[in-house]
Amino acid sequence: MPVPYTCVHPDGGFVVDTSRERLDVPVIHRYLAQESYWAQNIPLETVERALDNSLNFGLYTADDQLVGFSRIVTDRATFAWLCDVFVLPEFRGQGLSKWLMECVWAHPQLQGIRRRMLATLDAHGLYTQFGFVPLANPERYLEARLPNPYGVPTAN
């Protein structure tokens, strides 16, 4: 079970929280389905199932508006996959992505994880600040993909 976790921004204007009940699912779904490059047209039911089975991090303003999000698929012991990271466009340029990652990786249930992974098209600069590097042995990794699962071409 997820441990309740809150991270308050140094200026007090933002908070990261892992409460599933607090998440603004329509905002998350709209961003993933319409604005992300990796989940175009993802069905709401798929997003809800993913949220139910992940460690979620909502990024909120002081007045509780969800302005960013990330989730971790993890066993909370040995492996963590970071995915679905975003900050809404109108809140970018304030260092919130970096701060969100600081909060995510400080979560007590993510300490001592043997392997952390992610996939990104364009945010390498952000993630290298948190120890991510290209695969040391990519020949060891395999994947089984369902191409175009939501009905439109994607860049993933």
Side-chain angles (χ1 to χ4, degrees):
M1 292 299 289
V3 171
Y5 175 76
T6 301
C7 186
V8 178
H9 194 272
D11 73 7
F14 296 94
V15 65
V16 169
D17 184 83
T18 58
S19 170
R20 169 67 170 92
E21 298 76 28
R22 190 173 182 182
L23 292 173
D24 189 336
V25 177
V27 170
I28 295 167
H29 176 250
R30 184 172 47 255
Y31 184 87
L32 293 175
Q34 298 175 13
E35 298 183 46
S36 77
Y37 64 82
W38 62 90
Q40 288 287 303
N41 288 343
I42 188 169
L44 175 60
E45 299 77 25
T46 302
V47 171
E48 289 173 336
R49 197 166 62 244
L51 296 175
D52 289 343
N53 292 291
S54 299
L55 180 56
N56 304 295
F57 294 81
L59 169 59
Y60 304 92
T61 62
D63 63 352
D64 213 34
Q65 176 189 0
L66 185 128
V67 299
F69 174 77
S70 69
R71 69 183 180 95
I72 301 282
V73 179
T74 184
D75 61 7
R76 295 177 177 84
T78 64
F79 181 79
W81 178 269
L82 174 67
C83 53
D84 293 341
V85 180
F86 69 85
V87 172
L88 295 177
E90 58 269 31
F91 290 90
R92 294 179 188 162
Q94 302 179 54
L96 293 174
S97 294
K98 182 176 179 182
W99 180 68
L100 175 59
M101 288 300 96
E102 290 170 0
C103 293
V104 165
W105 297 118
H107 190 286
Q109 290 184 317
L110 298 176
Q111 303 312 298
I113 296 285
R114 182 175 64 226
R115 185 173 313 271
R116 300 181 299 158
M117 297 186 75
L118 62 83
T120 185
L121 178 67
D122 57 2
H124 296 76
L126 170 64
Y127 298 121
T128 57
Q129 296 175 59
F130 295 92
F132 287 91
V133 297
L135 292 173
N137 303 102
E139 68 279 0
R140 293 183 182 182
Y141 292 83
L142 301 172
E143 69 176 346
R145 283 182 13 153
L146 177 60
N148 201 12
Y150 313 124
V152 297
T154 63
N156 65 357

